[in-house]
Amino acid sequence: VMHIATAAGLTGLVLIGLSACNKSSAPPAASSAVAASAAPATTPVAAIHRRDGLWQERMVLTGLASKPAVITMQVCLDKAVEEKSAMLGSQADRAGCATYRLDRQPNGDLTYLSVCDQGAKGTVTTTALIHGDLDKAYSSDSTRNIAGAADPKENGKETLTLEAPWLHACKPAA
């Protein structure tokens, strides 16, 4: 169950910076946070899961839109919802990805890199750095670069900053 506190209709935005891939004719240079994921000290991670319960997510999206969008929403997660939402993209989302990496850094942070061909929508390159405790509170900074989209207005860079504290257990369904 997902409860949107503001910005109705932007449900899919939750995963913009964490699951989509961007298009480019050549892979872009990785950010310093993601470049660190190539270091031998990192540990590949298959998946990450947030604690069951009610999370409040505050997101600031900047880039392709004319002005920054601030979205606050509450998401009630359990294992089934978490698997469907796949914080960093579902298996279907990854189908067109030439690169998909999720690594744990020595300090516990997670870095994410994906490069995905989305056909006419271009190649999407997404990088993210996730800090914090997925049981209590976390934050992330992510960037999507889109290049080669059929509609030139869809090409460009978007950034998403997210802060998400765990609030409490979800209320039982009525």
Side-chain angles (χ1 to χ4, degrees):
V1 175
M2 181 178 287
H3 305 282
I4 299 177
T6 61
L10 295 175
T11 305
L13 190 59
V14 174
L15 301 176
I16 264 185
L18 300 176
S19 69
C21 299
N22 299 322
K23 182 171 183 170
S24 158
S25 57
S31 71
S32 59
V34 173
S37 70
T42 64
T43 305
V45 178
I48 58 175
H49 299 286
R50 294 165 284 183
R51 176 182 182 184
D52 288 1
L54 186 65
W55 289 84
Q56 180 158 313
E57 298 179 337
R58 181 180 187 278
M59 298 166 279
V60 178
L61 177 68
T62 59
L64 295 174
S66 60
K67 60 183 179 176
V70 178
I71 299 103
T72 301
M73 58 195 306
Q74 293 184 342
V75 182
C76 186
L77 294 177
D78 61 18
K79 286 181 176 49
V81 171
E82 183 74 321
E83 286 175 16
K84 287 179 186 174
S85 70
M87 185 175 179
L88 294 173
S90 67
Q91 290 292 348
D93 291 338
R94 300 177 200 165
C97 300
T99 301
Y100 179 89
R101 289 187 59 121
L102 176 62
D103 294 296
R104 186 169 304 281
Q105 302 301 308
N107 68 357
D109 286 351
L110 295 160
T111 55
Y112 171 74
L113 168 65
S114 65
V115 180
C116 306
D117 182 352
Q118 306 237 324
K121 292 186 178 185
T123 296
V124 181
T125 301
T126 303
T127 60
L129 177 62
I130 303 165
H131 328 271
D133 181 343
L134 297 176
D135 281 339
K136 298 176 186 170
Y138 68 94
S139 63
S140 70
D141 297 301
S142 59
T143 301
R144 266 183 8 142
N145 288 301
I146 304 167
D151 180 352
K153 291 182 279 186
E154 293 183 16
N155 293 316
K157 177 180 173 181
E158 294 177 312
T159 61
L160 178 78
T161 302
L162 175 123
E163 294 179 7
W166 183 86
L167 300 176
H168 51 75
C170 295
K171 296 177 183 175

